[in-house]
Every structure is written in structure tokens, then in C-alpha cells.
Amino acid sequence: MQSHLEENMQQDMDLIRSNVIEMGKLVEQALETCLGAIEHNDRQSAYVVILRDRHIDELEETLESLCQRFLIKHLPVATQMRFVYSVIKINTELERVGDYAKAMARRFLTVSDLGAQASHPKLIDIANLAIPFLRNALDAFSEGDAELAKATREREKERAIDNLRYEIHSDLIQLHSNGELPSEALVPLVTIVSCLERVANQASNICEEVLYMCTGEDLRHDYQQVLRILFVAEHDACRGQMAVGIGNALESHRIRFSSAGVASQPLDRKTVQFMTEQGIDISGQTSKYLSQILDLKDYAIIVSLSEEAERSIPSLPSRPVRISWEVPDPSKLEGAEAELQAAYQNTFQFLDTHIRELVQAILGDDIEKEKETDV
């Protein structure tokens, strides 16, 4: 028989659990509503998602307060401590997913204002993968099902969504090149796809918290955890794109590279051609604004490629690590073909050397582990 203190603790845990479940339902509903808005060109539903986001924010604050009171009141240990610690993390993950739903709704309205079509078959396919991932993660939490959490996490790591994202980026660029998609619609559509990818990532994070809550197994800092690096320049057309291409060519399973610009500009064709000559295909990459990056604090490292970029990156608490590499932008130069080729080569060599050194510093002895994994 439970003591009065144990019963009281269980009641408080049940209250916290019910709030997480309610918040999860609101977040999932926001995603479903946003998907419906995109699929059926329903502007009213998009506004509903934006307006209802405040309820998710309110629940986040409620959960944070409940967890703080629980820690002070019960001074939990072992299982109860893992429970409340995991809830604090899951609360943050769910709030971010709510932000992604709101961001997608806003970008859909932008595309709709331009008279462009936001719906894309593969975009719907990504949503139909990402949302069930989240649903399974939430079910795993509510039922305390470690096996479901583990299976969902492993399914997300299969990278099916990443593959679809690359295909959509290529499709959108082709539509833009054919004059079927206005430039102003390209970036918002890419943002919608990126948000859906992040939903799946957050679902995986929730599964890791559920596993820790249920079993004490901590996968949050295991070998497979992805470290994210962002390159920032004035325009995301040349240097940042080169850096991402160089980084991706290293084929590290532990590091993901992205780029953004203070302003956006179409991918420089000369850069694409030059990188192809180096054996690196960046034709499927797309440029984006720094303001599109909704989760700067989730990047482990932000590398500024110019003084202007360095000034434009907002101040963030603790993370991420800030690095400055000032390197010329060859796409801005004019002159003879040989001079331009030399400028691209110099920038490429600078980035290649620095990125390899940075990756070596990050992975250290684990580089050999990656090589063994790939064999």
C-alpha cells in the first residue's frame, strides 16, 4: 500500500503527464490543420494554426511551472527524477514543433498571396511520415512504452525524410528555372519542407527522452547524435553553398551542414559549375535567409564568412560556438576567365582546409570509428 506521500507524488505525476498529453494533442492538431491548409489551399485554416499557437505556449508555461513545483515539493530521486527531467525536455520539444506549425502556416500564406501552389505530392509524403513519427513518440510517452520509442527513433534515423527533402528541393528549383514558380515563393516553400524535417527530428528527440524516462538508457549523447554547423554569409549564393558541399562530401554521419545569408540570392551558377568540376554536386542545394533559421540555438557551431555576416548573427545564450572565417566571395568578382577561376579555387581551398580541420577537431579519434562503421 502506498503511503500518503507516495499517493500525493503519483497524483502530481499524473497531472504532469496529462498536461503533456494535452499539449501533444494540440501540437499534432496544429500540424494536421496546417497540412490541410497547404493541401487544400485553405487560408482560414492557416490563420487558425497561427492564432491557436498561444494555447501551446500557455501549456508550455504551465508544464514548466508544474515540473518546478514537483522538484521543490517532492525532492524526487531515481525513477521520479528521470520522469520529471524528461518531461522538461519533452515540453521544450513540443513547443518547438508548435512553432514549426505556425511558421509553416505563415509561409503558406505568403505563397498563397503570390498566387503560387504550396501543395506538392512529396511535401505531403514528408508530412505523412513526420506527423506519425510525432504521434508514435507521444503514444510511447503516454503509455510508457520503451519499445515503441526505440522503434520510432530507429525508423526516423532511416533518413527517408532527408531523401524526400532533397527531391523536393530539386523539383522546386526546376519549377523556378522554368518560370513556373516565382522567386518570392521558392524560399517559403523550402522553409515549409525544412520545418517538416525538423518535426521528425523533434519526434526522435522525444523518443530518446522516453527511453531515458522508462529505462534510464541515455541515447541523447550517443555516437549517432548529429552535430549541426551553420555557415553564414551576406548572400547564400556562393561561399556558404560551397562550404555545405565540401562538408557533405566528407560524408560524416555525425555532422550536418547548413548555410544561410543575411539576404537571399539565387544559387550562383558559376559556383555550381565550379563545384561540379571539383567532383561535388551542389545543384540540389537552395539558398535561404538567416531569418528563416527558426532554431539557431540548436546549432552547435555557427561560422560567419564575412564581417557583415558576423554582425548580423544575433546574440544567443551559451550555445552555439561562434567562429569567424573571412574569405572573399568570388561570385562578386569580374575579370578574365582565368582570374575568376583562380578566385573560386582560392576560396574553395580555404574552405576545404578549414572545414577538414574543424571536422578533425570535432571528431578526433572518432573519425576512425566512422570509417569502421562505413566498411
Side-chain angles (χ1 to χ4, degrees):
M1 176 179 287
Q2 287 184 320
S3 67
H4 174 71
L5 290 176
E6 289 172 332
E7 287 181 359
N8 189 254
M9 178 183 287
Q10 187 60 53
Q11 288 173 359
D12 288 346
M13 289 174 66
D14 290 343
L15 177 61
I16 291 172
R17 183 179 288 105
S18 67
N19 273 268
V20 173
I21 293 170
E22 181 183 355
M23 187 175 179
K25 288 179 178 177
L26 285 177
V27 168
E28 186 181 340
Q29 184 182 52
L31 290 171
E32 294 279 9
T33 303
C34 189
L35 178 60
I38 293 170
E39 195 169 8
H40 304 295
N41 197 31
D42 183 353
R43 293 176 60 86
Q44 182 176 341
S45 292
Y47 282 118
V48 168
V49 173
I50 294 168
L51 294 172
R52 288 182 178 173
D53 181 66
R54 65 184 180 86
H55 297 308
I56 296 173
D57 292 340
E58 289 169 358
L59 260 179
E60 183 208 14
E61 293 176 2
T62 298
L63 260 172
E64 183 178 349
S65 177
L66 286 172
C67 288
Q68 289 176 350
R69 288 207 300 267
F70 184 88
L71 290 170
I72 294 170
K73 178 180 178 181
H74 297 291
L75 300 175
V77 295
T79 302
Q80 294 79 16
M81 185 63 182
R82 291 205 309 269
F83 168 79
V84 73
Y85 182 80
S86 295
V87 166
I88 291 170
K89 293 288 190 177
I90 291 171
N91 186 32
T92 300
E93 305 290 354
L94 288 175
E95 192 274 334
R96 287 176 183 170
V97 175
D99 285 346
Y100 295 144
K102 181 173 67 174
M104 286 191 290
R106 290 187 183 279
R107 299 312 189 273
F108 158 71
L109 290 171
T110 298
V111 173
S112 178
D113 285 338
L114 295 167
Q117 178 59 255
S119 183
H120 184 293
K122 291 175 185 174
L123 186 151
I124 305 303
D125 289 341
I126 287 182
N128 287 333
L129 285 173
I131 295 174
F133 282 156
L134 180 66
R135 186 179 303 124
N136 286 346
L138 293 169
D139 286 346
F141 170 80
S142 64
E143 298 165 14
D145 190 336
E147 290 303 315
L148 177 58
K150 192 169 186 177
T152 302
R153 178 180 182 271
E154 290 173 354
R155 179 87 186 278
E156 193 274 334
K157 297 299 180 185
E158 291 174 4
R159 303 178 70 86
I161 288 180
D162 284 351
N163 295 334
L164 281 171
R165 175 170 61 87
Y166 287 125
E167 291 175 15
I168 292 176
H169 284 183
S170 297
D171 291 347
L172 292 175
I173 290 171
Q174 187 62 48
L175 288 172
H176 178 256
S177 300
N178 295 341
E180 300 175 49
L181 183 69
S183 299
E184 298 84 356
L186 179 60
V187 172
L189 286 173
V190 170
T191 301
I192 290 173
V193 175
S194 297
C195 284
L196 287 170
E197 179 193 24
R198 293 296 296 150
V199 168
N201 292 339
Q202 303 306 120
S204 180
N205 292 344
I206 291 172
C207 288
E208 292 172 2
E209 295 302 334
V210 172
L211 280 168
Y212 177 69
M213 178 186 77
C214 294
T215 67
E217 183 180 5
D218 193 350
L219 299 180
R220 295 163 298 175
H221 304 291
D222 69 359
Y223 176 70
Q224 295 298 326
Q225 186 177 23
V226 175
L227 180 146
R228 306 174 72 201
I229 298 177
L230 178 69
F231 299 99
V232 183
E234 293 98 323
H235 296 283
D236 190 24
C238 178
R239 290 165 294 178
Q241 299 288 345
M242 290 176 72
V244 170
I246 292 167
N248 288 340
L250 297 178
E251 297 184 341
S252 170
H253 303 303
R254 293 186 58 194
I255 304 176
R256 181 173 298 173
F257 301 90
S258 304
S259 64
V262 178
S264 186
Q265 187 171 294
L267 188 59
D268 175 52
R269 292 186 178 182
K270 176 66 175 175
T271 302
V272 175
Q273 179 184 340
F274 174 83
M275 293 297 285
T276 300
E277 293 168 359
Q278 311 309 308
I280 300 174
D281 181 13
I282 65 169
S283 60
Q285 296 176 192
T286 55
S287 61
K288 54 185 172 292
Y289 292 100
L290 180 61
S291 59
Q292 284 181 266
I293 307 296
L294 305 175
D295 47 6
L296 272 177
K297 60 182 176 298
D298 286 349
Y299 285 88
I301 299 171
I302 297 180
V303 181
S304 57
L305 301 176
S306 69
E307 288 186 10
E308 182 181 344
E310 176 66 25
R311 290 194 300 269
S312 300
I313 299 170
S315 299
L316 297 166
S318 61
R319 294 185 67 187
V321 174
R322 299 274 292 270
I323 299 175
S324 178
W325 295 344
E326 288 191 37
V327 55
D329 183 350
S331 68
K332 293 182 177 180
L333 301 179
E334 296 181 359
E337 181 62 27
E339 293 174 335
L340 294 177
Q341 188 71 11
Y344 276 94
Q345 185 63 50
N346 289 338
T347 296
F348 175 85
Q349 192 60 53
F350 176 94
L351 291 172
D352 185 71
T353 299
H354 282 67
I355 290 170
R356 288 179 182 276
E357 290 174 348
L358 179 60
V359 169
Q360 176 73 49
I362 293 168
L363 298 181
D365 294 338
D366 286 343
I367 287 179
E368 294 305 317
K369 293 182 182 179
E370 286 213 340
K371 292 178 179 177
E372 293 170 5
T373 303
D374 290 337
V375 173

